[in-house]
Amino acid sequence: MRKTLSIILCVMMLLSACSFAIPASAAPEGTAINTADEFMAMVSTPADATEPPAKYYLASDITLAGTYAEPFWGILDGNGKTITVTNPIFADFSGEVSNLTIKGEIYYTDADAAGFAVASSRGYKATKVTNNANVTVMGNGKHIGGFSARIVNNTTLGIPAECWFVNCVNNGNIYIDSTADEKMRAGGFSGIIDLCHFANCTNNGDIYAKGNICIAGGLVSRAALNKGMNGGEAFNCVNNGNIKVEDTCKDKTGAEKMGTAGADAGGIFGHVGCSGNAGWYKIWGCTNNGDITGPYRVGGMVGYVYASGSTAFVDIQFCV
């Protein structure tokens, strides 16, 4: 007993004599942003530049009254701070964003809308980003999402607009009631993405889409619009939001043609695939807890798989 006690005391003395400091979180890199004016004054790295992308980090919570209008390519570290919005933060964002919370109310008429960025020319990666902003589009709008409205491949440059979402959450409700004569797309994260990857992401927001040929999904409304350079995967993701589609599709004579032209709804993806596509789609370990309602094609994981003239495949495993 005495020997055991001596050993314990020796170990305690050694521990107290040595410095075992717990590594601190890495300090944010780049230029500090303290105000909305400083945010709007950020300088984007040219997309064709050879130098590393510009780096910025939030040093304070800020409130934005407008949208960063020019295409932005760079790295934004939210640093655990919050941006309060009444408009999308970016019109066009490419690069990386992390450790950020978004809150507020966004209401648009006759335009696409999202909490973070309306579009992305080159794709982006979001890590530990939470959107709490409700997003509403009325009138002639087509795409809506908690994070992005549309992220489609840049066919002019021949590059994919690839997006990664890791440990991200959408808590905002997504609502679109559109009079546009083209397809409506509403998603917890994005209305449409050509090439997307989700890992450990959750949608808690309710999604409602009403319009001509509506599509809605817990993560993405439609994965893949343009053939080639596209696909989608979701690993360990959860949808808790209720998703409802109301289709107002009309035929060439103007008569209502309800639920016969693509009114799709799914807990993870509303619609995947496109004509002549060689993409791939994986949904592994995902759970849908929401009520999915629509007049045509509805599914717990995916509402509709389109594969005309394509070699695309869908792999769904270990899901609930």
Side-chain angles (χ1 to χ4, degrees):
M1 179 67 182
R2 186 174 298 174
K3 183 178 180 180
T4 302
L5 182 60
S6 298
I7 293 173
I8 294 174
L9 289 173
C10 288
V11 172
M12 293 177 65
M13 290 174 66
L14 286 170
L15 289 172
S16 63
C18 298
S19 175
F20 289 98
I22 299 174
S25 299
E29 298 180 357
T31 303
I33 301 295
N34 287 281
T35 66
D37 288 341
E38 290 177 352
F39 186 93
M40 292 301 181
M42 292 190 303
V43 178
S44 169
T45 301
D48 57 353
T50 57
E51 65 266 23
K55 293 183 179 181
Y56 294 90
Y57 71 90
L58 293 183
S60 303
D61 295 339
I62 61 173
T63 298
L64 297 180
T67 297
Y68 188 100
E70 298 298 320
F72 182 87
W73 183 45
I75 297 175
L76 176 63
D77 182 353
N79 193 31
K81 307 302 182 183
T82 297
I83 297 179
T84 301
V85 298
T86 53
N87 300 275
I89 296 174
F90 292 95
D92 187 333
F93 178 90
S94 298
E96 298 181 22
V97 58
S98 61
N99 306 310
L100 175 66
T101 298
I102 304 165
K103 72 175 185 178
E105 295 283 342
I106 298 173
Y107 185 98
Y108 265 34
T109 302
D110 300 334
D112 296 348
F116 179 66
V118 176
S120 179
S121 297
R122 294 171 175 263
Y124 66 86
K125 181 178 181 179
T127 305
K128 294 183 180 179
V129 178
T130 297
N131 175 57
N132 295 323
N134 298 319
V135 185
T136 300
V137 167
M138 304 293 288
N140 193 29
K142 301 173 184 177
H143 304 91
I144 182 173
F147 283 71
S148 296
R150 59 186 185 276
I151 307 170
V152 296
N153 293 329
N154 191 325
T155 55
T156 302
L157 297 177
I159 59 174
E162 188 169 9
C163 274
W164 296 78
F165 294 92
V166 181
N167 298 321
C168 293
V169 179
N170 175 60
N171 294 317
N173 294 324
I174 309 300
Y175 185 101
I176 182 169
D177 188 345
S178 180
T179 58
D181 59 359
E182 297 183 24
K183 293 181 179 179
M184 310 299 103
R185 301 179 179 100
F189 282 74
S190 184
I192 186 167
I193 304 181
D194 269 334
L195 182 55
C196 58
H197 312 268
F198 290 88
N200 304 314
C201 292
T202 301
N203 173 59
N204 294 316
D206 291 337
I207 302 169
Y208 174 81
K210 180 180 179 181
N212 182 18
I213 314 178
C214 284
I215 304 173
L219 298 184
V220 179
S221 166
R222 179 164 182 177
L225 176 65
N226 301 300
K227 65 180 180 180
M229 297 187 300
N230 59 51
E233 58 186 9
F235 296 103
N236 300 319
C237 295
V238 179
N239 173 58
N240 293 316
N242 296 321
I243 300 171
K244 184 175 182 178
V245 167
E246 290 191 41
D247 190 22
T248 60
C249 178
K250 296 182 179 181
D251 62 21
K252 294 180 180 180
T253 68
E256 290 189 356
K257 189 179 178 182
M258 299 292 290
T260 59
D264 309 327
I268 301 300
F269 297 141
H271 176 126
V272 302
C274 59
S275 179
N277 187 27
W280 41 262
Y281 305 91
K282 288 186 177 181
I283 302 175
W284 282 23
C286 295
T287 299
N288 171 58
N289 295 314
D291 293 334
I292 317 297
T293 307
Y296 195 28
R297 301 178 293 216
V298 174
M301 295 294 124
V302 178
Y304 179 58
V305 179
Y306 186 84
S308 177
S310 77
T311 58
F313 68 90
V314 178
D315 181 5
I316 301 176
Q317 298 190 54
F318 320 116
C319 293
V320 180

